[in-house]
């Protein structure tokens, strides 16, 4: 699966992944997920998680947060709903089937929008980013976590080791962070530092700040 797949194929593929996703990816993605949640919470309590999946990150939030999650796959969301119920995650306010490129939320309704291991999967990532920027309040941040391909230089050992696991669920090294940074500059959002996280900087957090004056975005 890659960004060359259609949205319908993506939905079907994650329907198949849902039962085993946590077994394979929980420990691998936890440090990056926790770092993204910390960055999102620093912006305020109203947080949207785009591509929330099985809800691996939902337990990382503080109880004062108000988290809304969306995902293309109802099978993935079913797992997230189970976690919310069994762990009594009262800070999770809604979980809905939705396409990242068509968010059914009013403009400027969130302090932060986070998308973890999602953006490289979306066939039209700029459209998804436009939507994230729209629902974000001025001064808020988009917090992305992903493996982004390196701009140059040899692959690190960790990249070679983890790459097969990534290819299986559609994370490709072809997608560069610079594509998102270019989008941000074009829309008047400020790309903040690209922060390497576990394992060995293979995943990176990319934060984009919407200007405090709404005019530019
Ligand atoms: C690699 S999983 C990551 C799930 C979760 N964020 C995590 O960290 O465990 C990617 C998720 O993005 C969802 N997804 C893919 N394309 C999407 C789109 N266009 N809109 C919403 N969700 C999408 C998939 O259904 C899947 O649940």
């Amino acid at each position: 699966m890659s960004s060359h797949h259609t949205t319908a194929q993506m939905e079907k593929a994650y329907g198949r992944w849902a039962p085993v996703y946590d077994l394979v990816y929980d420990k691998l993605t936890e440090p990056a997920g926790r770092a993204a949640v910390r960055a999102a919470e620093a912006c305020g309590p109203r947080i949207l998680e785009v591509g929330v999946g099985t809800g691996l990150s939902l337990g990382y939030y503080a109880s004062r947060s108000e988290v809304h999650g969306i995902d293309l796959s109802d099978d993935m969301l079913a797992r997230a709903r189970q976690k919310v119920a069994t762990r009594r995650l009262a800070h999770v306010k809604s979980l809905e089937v939705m396409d990242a490129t068509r968010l059914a939320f009013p403009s400027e309704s969130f302090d932060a929008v986070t998308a973890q291991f999602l953006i490289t999967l979306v066939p039209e990532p700029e459209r998804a980013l436009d939507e994230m920027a729209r629902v974000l309040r001025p001064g808020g941040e988009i917090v992305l976590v992903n493996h982004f391909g390196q701009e140059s230089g040899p692959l690190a050992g960790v990249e070679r080791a983890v790459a097969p696991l990534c290819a299986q669920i559609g994370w490709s090294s072809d997608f560069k962070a610079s594509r998102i940074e270019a989008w941000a500059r074009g829309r008047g959002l400020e790309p903040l530092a690209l922060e390497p996280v576990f394992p060995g900087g293979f995943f990176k957090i990319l934060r984009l700040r919407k200007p405090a004056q709404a005019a530019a975005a």
Side-chain angles (χ1 to χ4, degrees):
M1 193 186 346
S2 74
S3 55
H4 305 300
H5 284 70
T6 65
T7 300
Q9 285 168 326
M10 184 67 65
E11 196 242 317
K12 225 173 133 190
Y14 272 95
R16 287 195 298 270
W17 263 107
V20 292
Y21 188 90
D22 291 6
L23 285 174
V24 182
Y25 294 100
D26 187 6
K27 291 302 166 215
L28 179 65
T29 60
E30 179 175 348
R34 285 191 183 278
V37 165
R38 263 198 311 279
E41 285 185 323
C43 299
R46 298 171 305 163
I47 296 167
L48 175 64
E49 262 219 39
V50 178
V52 65
T54 64
L56 281 177
S57 64
L58 293 176
Y60 308 155
Y61 288 91
S63 55
R64 65 176 175 279
S65 290
E66 299 157 24
V67 182
H68 296 260
I70 69 114
D71 200 282
L72 210 51
S73 163
D74 201 32
D75 294 307
M76 293 290 274
L77 282 180
R79 310 258 153 188
R81 290 194 190 98
Q82 264 170 22
K83 287 190 185 71
V84 169
T86 57
R87 299 189 201 166
R88 299 199 176 83
L89 305 177
H91 57 276
V92 180
K93 302 304 178 192
S94 74
L95 291 170
E96 284 180 82
V97 173
M98 213 179 280
D99 184 338
T101 61
R102 281 186 290 268
L103 297 178
F105 295 100
S107 298
E108 302 186 4
S109 35
F110 295 99
D111 298 308
V113 179
T114 177
Q116 304 170 19
F117 313 105
L118 164 93
I119 199 67
T120 59
L121 301 175
V122 182
E124 297 172 283
E126 285 83 6
R127 268 188 68 190
L129 290 164
D130 281 343
E131 277 292 85
M132 293 179 200
R134 179 182 67 76
V135 302
L136 190 62
R137 70 157 164 85
E141 285 180 23
I142 298 174
V143 180
L144 304 175
V145 173
N146 247 96
H147 168 59
F148 294 111
Q150 304 194 343
E151 297 297 332
S152 62
L155 285 184
V158 61
E159 184 151 345
R160 275 196 302 275
V162 187
L165 272 183
C166 294
Q168 286 199 50
I169 55 168
W171 298 335
S172 138
S173 290
D174 299 343
F175 198 107
K176 308 284 190 272
S178 56
R179 178 167 175 181
I180 296 171
E181 290 163 344
W183 167 87
R185 290 198 188 89
R187 289 288 187 282
L189 275 82
E190 182 191 358
L192 305 172
L194 193 59
E195 184 197 337
V197 281
F198 176 90
F202 180 76
F203 294 133
K204 293 189 179 65
I205 300 206
L206 178 52
R207 291 160 51 210
L208 310 167
R209 184 175 295 146
K210 184 167 172 174
Q213 296 295 324

